[in-house]
Amino acid sequence: MSFVPPPPSKTHKDENFPVASVLIAPAHRATIMAFYRFARSADDVADDPVLTAKEKLFALDDFESTLKGRTDVISDAVPLRLALAEHNLSPHHALDLLQAFRMDAVKKRYETWDELMLYCAYSAAPVGRFVLDVHGESESTWPASDALCAALQIINHLQDCVADYHNIDRVYIPLDGLTQAGFGVEALDLPAAPPALRAYLKSLAEKTNGLVAQGAALPGQVRDFRLCLETAIIVKLAQTLTQRLIAYDPLSEPVRLTKPGFLIWTLAGVASGLRTFARRKPRSAEGDPS
């Protein structure tokens, strides 16, 4: 019997970063939202606390089968399949994303930073690449996008390290550094990080900040005016959150932005995007500010 997933656990409005905000041109928004719904539904399967690993893998196979048109069993995959066909887009980014969810279904721990980055190559990079493809952007934008998307993923991992451990027994904090700091994963149960653990978590945030710095080139590389603003906002939010993760202990202190803080840094991102786009002379005409 094929798996029928429950309604998504959250919507795009609940994410830490903008997903197809009003800045994205209406012509592109529905396609991006179809990708988001597909990803959110598959992610919920991978994180399901009741399903076995084997059941999760069978369910994710149903996502792939529906995306490829072999079945219609996964309702959240059908709109994406139709959108891909309508806009002559490849399914390979969505298929890459399914590989990350298959990893989540069977893998609970990550040994090294490099191993975590490999996971991000499937869990994060395809999202940015898909959005760029929808906008017809050059593949030359992919390295900056990959770095930014990996940073967003790791920011979420650091913010949610306690919840991920408690709720789904998954730890994205690389174990080699935990061991060197003198701790096991059970340290995530502590009310506050001891100095050695705090130093390690800070070092991960600093590495992530390096990824954000690479990704900060993205707004200046995309041709689309609206996407320039959207990516500039994401860069600004990522910069702010990594600085908070460097400054605060995610085990005991609030690292997420409040709604007013989110608004303030969103506006700062818009201002940054406007400055970035205005600096373009020969390329500015390629964007469409309408």
Side-chain angles (χ1 to χ4, degrees), residues 9 18 71 84 140 178 181 217 241:
S9 61
T71 179
L84 294 177
S140 64
L178 271 178
L241 285 166

Side-chain angles (χ1 to χ4, degrees), residues 116-159:
L116 182 61
M117 289 299 295
L118 178 62
Y119 170 74
C120 289
Y122 289 101
S123 67
V127 178
R129 292 182 179 190
F130 180 78
V131 172
L132 292 166
D133 279 3
V134 168
H135 284 81
E137 298 288 347
S138 168
E139 290 186 10
S140 64
T141 61
W142 284 11
S145 176
D146 290 355
L148 181 59
C149 289
L152 305 185
Q153 181 78 82
I154 297 169
I155 287 168
N156 287 339
H157 291 334
L158 292 173
Q159 286 184 151

Side-chain angles (χ1 to χ4, degrees), residues 99-117:
Q99 287 300 103
F101 299 139
R102 290 185 174 105
M103 292 170 69
D104 281 337
V106 299
K107 190 174 180 63
K108 297 288 189 180
R109 305 288 187 267
Y110 289 81
E111 293 293 333
T112 66
W113 174 265
D114 287 344
E115 194 174 312
L116 182 61
M117 289 299 295

